[in-house]
Coordinates of all heavy atoms in Angstrom, one line a residue:
G1 N -6.3 -10.4 5.1 CA -5.8 -11.7 4.7 C -5.2 -11.6 3.3 O -5.0 -10.5 2.8
V2 N -5.0 -12.7 2.7 CA -4.4 -12.9 1.4 C -5.1 -12.1 0.3 O -4.5 -11.5 -0.5 CB -4.2 -14.4 1.1 CG1 -3.7 -14.5 -0.3 CG2 -3.3 -15.1 2.0
S3 N -6.4 -12.2 0.4 CA -7.2 -11.6 -0.7 C -8.3 -10.7 -0.2 O -9.4 -10.6 -0.7 CB -7.8 -12.6 -1.6 OG -8.6 -13.5 -0.9
S4 N -8.1 -10.0 1.0 CA -9.1 -9.2 1.6 C -9.1 -7.8 1.1 O -8.2 -7.0 1.5 CB -8.9 -9.2 3.1 OG -9.1 -10.5 3.6
G5 N -9.9 -7.4 0.1 CA -10.0 -6.1 -0.4 C -8.7 -5.5 -0.8 O -8.0 -6.1 -1.6
A6 N -8.4 -4.4 -0.2 CA -7.2 -3.6 -0.6 C -5.9 -4.1 0.2 O -4.9 -3.5 0.0 CB -7.4 -2.1 -0.4
V7 N -6.1 -5.0 1.1 CA -5.0 -5.4 1.9 C -3.7 -5.8 1.1 O -2.6 -5.3 1.4 CB -5.4 -6.6 2.9 CG1 -4.2 -7.1 3.6 CG2 -6.5 -6.1 3.8
P8 N -3.8 -6.6 0.1 CA -2.5 -6.9 -0.6 C -1.9 -5.7 -1.2 O -0.7 -5.5 -1.2 CB -3.0 -7.9 -1.8 CG -4.3 -8.5 -1.2 CD -4.9 -7.4 -0.4
W9 N -2.7 -4.8 -1.8 CA -2.1 -3.5 -2.3 C -1.5 -2.7 -1.2 O -0.4 -2.1 -1.4 CB -3.2 -2.8 -3.1 CG -2.8 -1.4 -3.4 CD1 -2.1 -1.0 -4.5 CD2 -3.1 -0.2 -2.7 NE1 -1.8 0.3 -4.5 CE2 -2.4 0.9 -3.4 CE3 -3.8 0.1 -1.6 CZ2 -2.5 2.2 -3.0 CZ3 -3.8 1.4 -1.1 CH2 -3.2 2.5 -1.9
L10 N -2.2 -2.6 -0.1 CA -1.7 -1.7 1.0 C -0.4 -2.3 1.6 O 0.5 -1.5 1.8 CB -2.8 -1.7 2.1 CG -2.6 -0.7 3.2 CD1 -2.5 0.7 2.7 CD2 -3.7 -0.9 4.3
V11 N -0.4 -3.5 1.8 CA 0.8 -4.1 2.4 C 2.0 -4.2 1.4 O 3.1 -3.9 1.8 CB 0.5 -5.5 3.0 CG1 1.7 -6.3 3.4 CG2 -0.5 -5.5 4.1
G12 N 1.7 -4.5 0.2 CA 2.8 -4.6 -0.8 C 3.9 -5.6 -0.3 O 3.6 -6.6 0.3
A13 N 5.1 -5.2 -0.6 CA 6.3 -6.0 -0.3 C 6.7 -5.9 1.2 O 7.6 -6.6 1.7 CB 7.5 -5.6 -1.1
A14 N 5.9 -5.1 2.0 CA 6.3 -4.8 3.4 C 5.8 -6.0 4.3 O 6.2 -5.9 5.5 CB 5.7 -3.5 3.8
G15 N 5.1 -6.9 3.8 CA 4.6 -7.9 4.7 C 4.3 -9.2 4.0 O 4.5 -9.3 2.8
R16 N 4.0 -10.2 4.8 CA 3.6 -11.5 4.2 C 2.2 -11.8 4.6 O 1.8 -11.8 5.7 CB 4.5 -12.6 4.8 CG 4.2 -13.9 4.3 CD 5.2 -14.9 4.7 NE 4.7 -16.2 4.3 CZ 5.0 -17.4 4.9 NH1 5.8 -17.4 6.0 NH2 4.5 -18.5 4.5
L17 N 1.4 -11.9 3.6 CA 0.0 -12.2 3.8 C -0.3 -13.7 3.9 O 0.3 -14.4 3.1 CB -0.9 -11.6 2.6 CG -0.7 -10.0 2.5 CD1 -1.5 -9.6 1.3 CD2 -1.2 -9.3 3.8
V18 N -1.2 -14.0 4.8 CA -1.5 -15.4 4.9 C -3.0 -15.5 5.1 O -3.7 -14.5 5.3 CB -0.9 -16.1 6.2 CG1 0.6 -16.1 6.1 CG2 -1.3 -15.3 7.5
D19 N -3.5 -16.7 4.9 CA -5.0 -17.0 5.0 C -5.3 -16.9 6.5 O -4.8 -17.8 7.3 CB -5.3 -18.4 4.4 CG -6.8 -18.7 4.4 OD1 -7.5 -18.1 5.3 OD2 -7.2 -19.5 3.7
V20 N -6.1 -15.9 6.9 CA -6.3 -15.8 8.3 C -7.2 -16.9 8.9 O -7.4 -16.9 10.2 CB -6.9 -14.4 8.6 CG1 -6.0 -13.3 8.3 CG2 -8.3 -14.2 7.9
T21 N -7.8 -17.7 8.1 CA -8.6 -18.8 8.6 C -7.8 -20.1 8.8 O -8.3 -21.1 9.2 CB -9.7 -19.1 7.6 OG1 -9.2 -19.6 6.4 CG2 -10.6 -17.9 7.4
R22 N -6.5 -19.9 8.6 CA -5.6 -21.1 8.8 C -4.5 -20.8 9.8 O -3.4 -20.2 9.5 CB -4.9 -21.5 7.4 CG -6.0 -21.9 6.4 CD -5.4 -22.2 5.1 NE -4.6 -23.4 5.3 CZ -4.0 -24.1 4.3 NH1 -4.3 -23.8 3.1 NH2 -3.3 -25.1 4.6
P23 N -4.7 -21.2 11.0 CA -3.8 -20.9 12.1 C -2.3 -21.3 11.8 O -1.4 -20.7 12.2 CB -4.4 -21.6 13.3 CG -5.8 -21.7 13.0 CD -5.9 -21.8 11.5
K24 N -2.2 -22.5 11.2 CA -0.9 -23.0 10.9 C -0.1 -22.0 10.0 O 1.1 -21.8 10.1 CB -0.9 -24.4 10.3 CG 0.5 -24.9 10.0 CD 0.5 -26.3 9.6 CE 1.9 -26.9 9.3 NZ 3.0 -26.1 9.1
D25 N -0.8 -21.4 9.0 CA -0.2 -20.4 8.1 C 0.3 -19.2 8.9 O 1.4 -18.7 8.6 CB -1.2 -20.0 7.0 CG -1.4 -21.1 6.0 OD1 -0.8 -22.2 6.1 OD2 -2.2 -20.9 5.1
I26 N -0.6 -18.8 9.8 CA -0.2 -17.6 10.6 C 1.0 -18.0 11.5 O 2.0 -17.2 11.5 CB -1.4 -17.2 11.5 CG1 -2.6 -16.8 10.7 CG2 -1.0 -16.1 12.5 CD1 -3.9 -16.6 11.4
A27 N 1.0 -19.1 12.1 CA 2.2 -19.6 12.9 C 3.4 -19.7 12.1 O 4.5 -19.2 12.5 CB 1.8 -20.9 13.6
D28 N 3.3 -20.3 10.9 CA 4.5 -20.4 10.1 C 5.1 -19.1 9.7 O 6.3 -18.9 9.6 CB 4.1 -21.2 8.8 CG 3.9 -22.7 9.1 OD1 4.2 -23.2 10.2 OD2 3.3 -23.4 8.2
A29 N 4.2 -18.1 9.3 CA 4.6 -16.8 8.9 C 5.3 -16.1 10.1 O 6.4 -15.4 9.9 CB 3.5 -15.9 8.4
L30 N 4.8 -16.2 11.3 CA 5.4 -15.6 12.5 C 6.8 -16.3 12.8 O 7.7 -15.6 13.1 CB 4.5 -15.7 13.7 CG 3.3 -14.8 13.7 CD1 2.3 -15.2 14.8 CD2 3.7 -13.4 13.8
A31 N 6.8 -17.6 12.7 CA 8.1 -18.3 12.9 C 9.1 -17.9 11.9 O 10.3 -17.7 12.3 CB 7.8 -19.8 12.9
Q32 N 8.7 -17.7 10.7 CA 9.7 -17.3 9.6 C 10.2 -15.9 9.9 O 11.4 -15.6 9.8 CB 9.1 -17.3 8.2 CG 10.1 -17.0 7.2 CD 9.5 -17.0 5.8 OE1 8.3 -17.1 5.6 NE2 10.3 -17.0 4.8
A33 N 9.3 -15.0 10.3 CA 9.8 -13.7 10.7 C 10.8 -13.7 11.8 O 11.7 -12.9 11.8 CB 8.5 -12.8 11.0
L34 N 10.5 -14.5 12.8 CA 11.4 -14.6 14.0 C 12.7 -15.2 13.6 O 13.8 -14.8 14.1 CB 10.7 -15.3 15.1 CG 9.5 -14.6 15.8 CD1 8.8 -15.6 16.7 CD2 10.0 -13.3 16.4
D35 N 12.7 -16.2 12.7 CA 13.9 -16.9 12.4 C 14.7 -16.2 11.3 O 15.9 -16.5 11.2 CB 13.5 -18.3 11.8 CG 13.0 -19.3 12.8 OD1 13.1 -19.0 14.0 OD2 12.3 -20.3 12.4
H36 N 14.1 -15.3 10.6 CA 14.8 -14.5 9.6 C 14.7 -13.0 9.9 O 14.0 -12.3 9.1 CB 14.3 -14.9 8.2 CG 14.4 -16.3 7.9 ND1 13.5 -17.3 8.2 CD2 15.4 -17.0 7.2 CE1 13.9 -18.5 7.8 NE2 15.1 -18.3 7.2
G37 N 15.4 -12.6 10.9 CA 15.3 -11.2 11.3 C 15.7 -10.2 10.3 O 15.0 -9.1 10.2
A38 N 16.7 -10.5 9.5 CA 17.1 -9.5 8.5 C 16.0 -9.3 7.4 O 15.8 -8.2 7.0 CB 18.4 -10.1 7.8
D39 N 15.3 -10.4 7.1 CA 14.2 -10.3 6.1 C 13.1 -9.4 6.7 O 12.5 -8.5 6.1 CB 13.6 -11.6 5.7 CG 14.5 -12.4 4.9 OD1 15.5 -11.8 4.3 OD2 14.3 -13.7 4.8
A40 N 12.8 -9.6 8.0 CA 11.8 -8.9 8.7 C 12.1 -7.4 8.8 O 11.3 -6.5 8.6 CB 11.5 -9.4 10.1
E41 N 13.4 -7.1 9.0 CA 13.9 -5.7 9.1 C 13.7 -5.1 7.7 O 13.4 -3.9 7.6 CB 15.3 -5.7 9.6 CG 15.4 -6.0 11.0 CD 16.9 -6.0 11.5 OE1 17.7 -5.3 10.9 OE2 17.2 -6.6 12.6
Q42 N 14.1 -5.8 6.6 CA 13.9 -5.3 5.3 C 12.5 -5.0 5.0 O 12.1 -4.0 4.4 CB 14.5 -6.3 4.3 CG 14.3 -5.8 2.8 CD 14.9 -4.4 2.6 OE1 16.0 -4.0 3.1 NE2 14.2 -3.6 1.8
R43 N 11.6 -5.8 5.4 CA 10.1 -5.6 5.2 C 9.7 -4.4 5.9 O 8.9 -3.6 5.4 CB 9.3 -6.8 5.6 CG 9.5 -8.0 4.6 CD 8.6 -9.2 5.1 NE 8.9 -10.4 4.4 CZ 8.3 -10.7 3.3 NH1 7.3 -10.0 2.8 NH2 8.6 -11.9 2.7
A44 N 10.2 -4.2 7.1 CA 9.8 -3.0 7.9 C 10.3 -1.8 7.2 O 9.6 -0.8 7.2 CB 10.5 -3.1 9.3
R45 N 11.6 -1.8 6.7 CA 12.1 -0.6 6.0 C 11.2 -0.3 4.8 O 10.9 0.8 4.5 CB 13.5 -0.8 5.7 CG 14.5 -0.6 6.8 CD 15.9 -0.5 6.4 NE 16.4 -1.8 5.8 CZ 16.8 -2.8 6.5 NH1 16.9 -2.7 7.8 NH2 17.3 -3.9 5.9
S46 N 10.9 -1.4 4.1 CA 10.1 -1.3 2.9 C 8.7 -0.6 3.2 O 8.2 0.2 2.5 CB 9.9 -2.6 2.2 OG 9.1 -2.6 1.1
G47 N 8.1 -1.1 4.3 CA 6.9 -0.6 4.7 C 6.9 0.9 5.1 O 6.1 1.7 4.7
H48 N 8.0 1.2 5.8 CA 8.2 2.6 6.2 C 8.3 3.5 5.0 O 7.7 4.6 4.9 CB 9.4 2.7 7.1 CG 9.6 4.1 7.6 ND1 8.9 4.7 8.6 CD2 10.5 5.1 7.2 CE1 9.3 5.9 8.8 NE2 10.3 6.2 8.0
L49 N 9.1 3.1 4.0 CA 9.3 3.9 2.8 C 8.0 4.0 2.0 O 7.7 5.1 1.4 CB 10.4 3.3 1.9 CG 11.8 3.4 2.5 CD1 12.8 2.6 1.6 CD2 12.3 4.9 2.6
R50 N 7.3 2.9 2.0 CA 6.0 2.9 1.2 C 5.0 3.9 1.9 O 4.3 4.7 1.2 CB 5.4 1.6 1.2 CG 4.0 1.5 0.5 CD 3.7 0.1 0.1 NE 2.3 -0.1 -0.3 CZ 1.8 0.3 -1.5 NH1 2.6 0.8 -2.4 NH2 0.5 0.1 -1.8
V51 N 4.9 3.9 3.2 CA 4.1 4.9 3.9 C 4.5 6.3 3.6 O 3.6 7.1 3.3 CB 4.1 4.6 5.4 CG1 3.4 5.7 6.2 CG2 3.3 3.3 5.7
Q52 N 5.8 6.6 3.6 CA 6.2 7.9 3.4 C 5.9 8.3 1.9 O 5.5 9.5 1.7 CB 7.8 8.0 3.6 CG 8.2 8.0 5.0 CD 9.7 8.1 5.2 OE1 10.4 7.5 4.4 NE2 10.1 8.8 6.2
S53 N 6.1 7.4 1.0 CA 5.9 7.8 -0.4 C 4.5 7.8 -0.9 O 4.1 8.6 -1.8 CB 6.8 6.9 -1.3 OG 6.3 5.6 -1.3
E54 N 3.7 7.0 -0.3 CA 2.3 6.8 -0.8 C 1.3 7.4 0.1 O 0.2 7.8 -0.4 CB 1.9 5.3 -0.9 CG 2.8 4.6 -1.9 CD 2.5 4.9 -3.4 OE1 1.4 5.3 -3.7 OE2 3.5 4.9 -4.2
F55 N 1.5 7.5 1.4 CA 0.5 7.9 2.3 C 0.8 9.1 3.2 O 0.0 9.4 4.1 CB 0.1 6.7 3.2 CG -0.3 5.5 2.4 CD1 0.6 4.4 2.3 CD2 -1.5 5.5 1.7 CE1 0.2 3.3 1.6 CE2 -1.8 4.4 0.9 CZ -1.0 3.3 0.9
S56 N 1.9 9.8 3.0 CA 2.3 11.0 3.8 C 1.3 12.1 3.4 O 0.6 12.0 2.4 CB 3.7 11.5 3.4 OG 3.7 12.0 2.1
V57 N 1.2 13.1 4.2 CA 0.3 14.2 4.0 C 0.6 14.8 2.6 O -0.3 15.1 1.8 CB 0.4 15.3 5.1 CG1 -0.4 16.5 4.7 CG2 -0.2 14.7 6.4
Q58 N 1.9 15.0 2.3 CA 2.3 15.6 1.0 C 1.9 14.7 -0.2 O 1.4 15.2 -1.2 CB 3.8 15.9 1.0 CG 4.2 16.7 -0.2 CD 3.5 18.0 -0.3 OE1 3.6 18.8 0.7 NE2 2.9 18.3 -1.4
A59 N 2.1 13.4 0.0 CA 1.8 12.5 -1.1 C 0.3 12.5 -1.4 O -0.1 12.5 -2.6 CB 2.3 11.1 -0.8
V60 N -0.5 12.4 -0.4 CA -1.9 12.4 -0.5 C -2.4 13.7 -1.1 O -3.3 13.8 -2.0 CB -2.7 12.1 0.8 CG1 -4.2 12.2 0.7 CG2 -2.3 10.6 1.2
A61 N -1.9 14.8 -0.6 CA -2.3 16.1 -1.1 C -1.9 16.3 -2.6 O -2.7 16.8 -3.4 CB -1.6 17.2 -0.3
D62 N -0.7 15.8 -3.0 CA -0.3 15.8 -4.4 C -1.3 15.0 -5.3 O -1.6 15.4 -6.4 CB 1.1 15.3 -4.6 CG 2.1 16.3 -4.0 OD1 1.8 17.4 -3.7 OD2 3.3 15.8 -3.8
L63 N -1.7 13.8 -4.8 CA -2.6 13.0 -5.5 C -3.9 13.7 -5.7 O -4.5 13.7 -6.8 CB -2.7 11.6 -4.9 CG -3.7 10.7 -5.6 CD1 -3.1 10.3 -7.0 CD2 -3.8 9.4 -4.7
Y64 N -4.5 14.2 -4.6 CA -5.8 14.9 -4.7 C -5.7 16.1 -5.7 O -6.6 16.3 -6.5 CB -6.2 15.5 -3.3 CG -7.0 14.5 -2.6 CD1 -6.5 13.7 -1.6 CD2 -8.4 14.3 -2.9 CE1 -7.3 12.8 -0.9 CE2 -9.2 13.4 -2.2 CZ -8.6 12.7 -1.2 OH -9.4 11.8 -0.5
E65 N -4.6 16.9 -5.6 CA -4.4 18.0 -6.5 C -4.4 17.6 -8.0 O -5.0 18.2 -8.8 CB -3.1 18.8 -6.1 CG -2.9 20.0 -7.0 CD -1.6 20.7 -6.6 OE1 -0.7 20.1 -6.1 OE2 -1.6 22.0 -6.8
S66 N -3.7 16.5 -8.2 CA -3.6 16.0 -9.6 C -4.9 15.5 -10.1 O -5.3 15.8 -11.2 CB -2.6 14.8 -9.6 OG -2.6 14.2 -10.9
R67 N -5.7 14.8 -9.2 CA -7.0 14.3 -9.7 C -8.0 15.4 -9.9 O -8.8 15.4 -10.8 CB -7.6 13.3 -8.6 CG -6.8 12.0 -8.5 CD -6.8 11.2 -9.8 NE -6.2 9.9 -9.6 CZ -5.0 9.6 -9.9 NH1 -4.2 10.4 -10.4 NH2 -4.6 8.3 -9.7
Y68 N -7.9 16.4 -9.0 CA -8.7 17.6 -9.1 C -8.4 18.3 -10.4 O -9.3 18.7 -11.2 CB -8.5 18.5 -7.9 CG -9.4 19.8 -8.0 CD1 -10.8 19.7 -7.7 CD2 -8.9 21.0 -8.3 CE1 -11.6 20.8 -7.7 CE2 -9.7 22.1 -8.4 CZ -11.0 22.0 -8.1 OH -11.8 23.1 -8.1
A69 N -7.2 18.5 -10.7 CA -6.8 19.2 -12.0 C -7.3 18.4 -13.2 O -7.8 19.0 -14.2 CB -5.2 19.4 -12.0
D70 N -7.2 17.1 -13.1 CA -7.7 16.2 -14.2 C -9.2 16.4 -14.4 O -9.7 16.6 -15.5 CB -7.4 14.8 -14.0 CG -5.9 14.4 -14.1 OD1 -5.2 15.2 -14.6 OD2 -5.6 13.3 -13.6
A71 N -9.9 16.4 -13.3 CA -11.4 16.6 -13.3 C -11.8 18.0 -13.8 O -12.7 18.1 -14.7 CB -12.0 16.4 -11.9
V72 N -11.1 19.0 -13.4 CA -11.4 20.4 -13.9 C -11.1 20.5 -15.4 O -11.9 21.0 -16.1 CB -10.6 21.4 -13.1 CG1 -10.7 22.8 -13.7 CG2 -11.1 21.4 -11.6
S73 N -10.0 19.9 -15.8 CA -9.6 19.9 -17.2 C -10.6 19.2 -18.1 O -11.0 19.7 -19.1 CB -8.2 19.3 -17.4 OG -7.9 19.3 -18.7
S74 N -11.1 18.1 -17.6 CA -12.1 17.3 -18.3 C -13.4 18.0 -18.4 O -14.0 18.1 -19.5 CB -12.3 15.9 -17.7 OG -11.1 15.1 -17.8
T75 N -13.8 18.6 -17.3 CA -15.1 19.4 -17.3 C -15.0 20.6 -18.2 O -15.9 20.9 -19.0 CB -15.4 19.8 -15.9 OG1 -15.4 18.7 -15.0 CG2 -16.7 20.6 -15.8
F76 N -13.8 21.3 -18.2 CA -13.6 22.4 -19.0 C -13.7 22.1 -20.5 O -14.4 22.8 -21.3 CB -12.3 23.1 -18.7 CG -12.1 24.4 -19.5 CD1 -12.7 25.5 -19.1 CD2 -11.2 24.4 -20.6 CE1 -12.5 26.7 -19.9 CE2 -11.0 25.5 -21.3 CZ -11.7 26.7 -21.0
Q77 N -13.1 20.9 -20.9 CA -13.2 20.5 -22.3 C -14.5 20.2 -22.7 O -15.0 20.5 -23.8 CB -12.2 19.3 -22.5 CG -10.8 19.7 -22.3 CD -9.8 18.5 -22.4 OE1 -10.3 17.4 -22.5 NE2 -8.5 18.7 -22.3
V78 N -15.3 19.5 -21.9 CA -16.7 19.1 -22.2 C -17.6 20.4 -22.3 O -18.3 20.5 -23.3 CB -17.3 18.2 -21.1 CG1 -18.8 17.9 -21.4 CG2 -16.5 16.8 -21.2
V79 N -17.5 21.3 -21.4 CA -18.3 22.5 -21.4 C -18.0 23.4 -22.6 O -18.9 24.0 -23.2 CB -18.2 23.2 -20.1 CG1 -18.9 24.6 -20.1 CG2 -18.7 22.4 -19.0
H80 N -16.7 23.5 -22.9 CA -16.3 24.4 -24.0 C -15.9 23.8 -25.3 O -15.3 24.4 -26.1 CB -15.1 25.2 -23.5 CG -15.4 26.1 -22.3 ND1 -15.4 25.7 -21.0 CD2 -15.9 27.4 -22.3 CE1 -15.8 26.6 -20.2 NE2 -16.1 27.7 -20.9
A81 N -16.4 22.6 -25.5 CA -16.1 21.9 -26.8 C -17.0 22.3 -27.9 O -18.0 22.8 -27.7 CB -16.2 20.4 -26.5

């Protein structure tokens, strides 16, 4: 929903978050998506690009490699300071 953990970060501009305890909000969001197809298509493209850039195997591997290098560098500095 609107403020459920990492959902807002994960969805980003690719979706419209609503309060899941309010059926009218859900219905309104669905109606808007159906009535404004171009906006929905843009959100879909945005979501696809976000998945490719943030969550692809390569993107995740690069992030892990960077974090690992930072950790090793920090450990090396502490041990050899």
Side-chain angles (χ1 to χ4, degrees):
V2 174
S3 59
S4 298
V7 173
W9 170 81
L10 184 63
V11 172
R16 179 172 174 207
L17 299 178
V18 297
D19 184 339
V20 297
T21 65
R22 299 181 60 168
K24 183 172 180 345
D25 290 357
I26 297 169
D28 289 346
L30 288 171
Q32 183 180 13
L34 293 172
D35 291 343
H36 299 85
D39 290 342
E41 288 178 22
Q42 178 55 41
R43 288 181 191 271
R45 283 190 295 277
S46 175
H48 182 76
L49 291 173
R50 180 165 167 76
V51 166
Q52 287 179 322
S53 68
E54 299 289 329
F55 306 107
S56 68
V57 171
Q58 188 62 54
V60 172
D62 289 347
L63 181 61
Y64 270 101
E65 183 179 28
S66 173
R67 296 297 190 260
Y68 181 76
D70 291 346
V72 169
S73 175
S74 296
T75 302
F76 183 77
Q77 290 174 0
V78 171
V79 172
H80 294 88

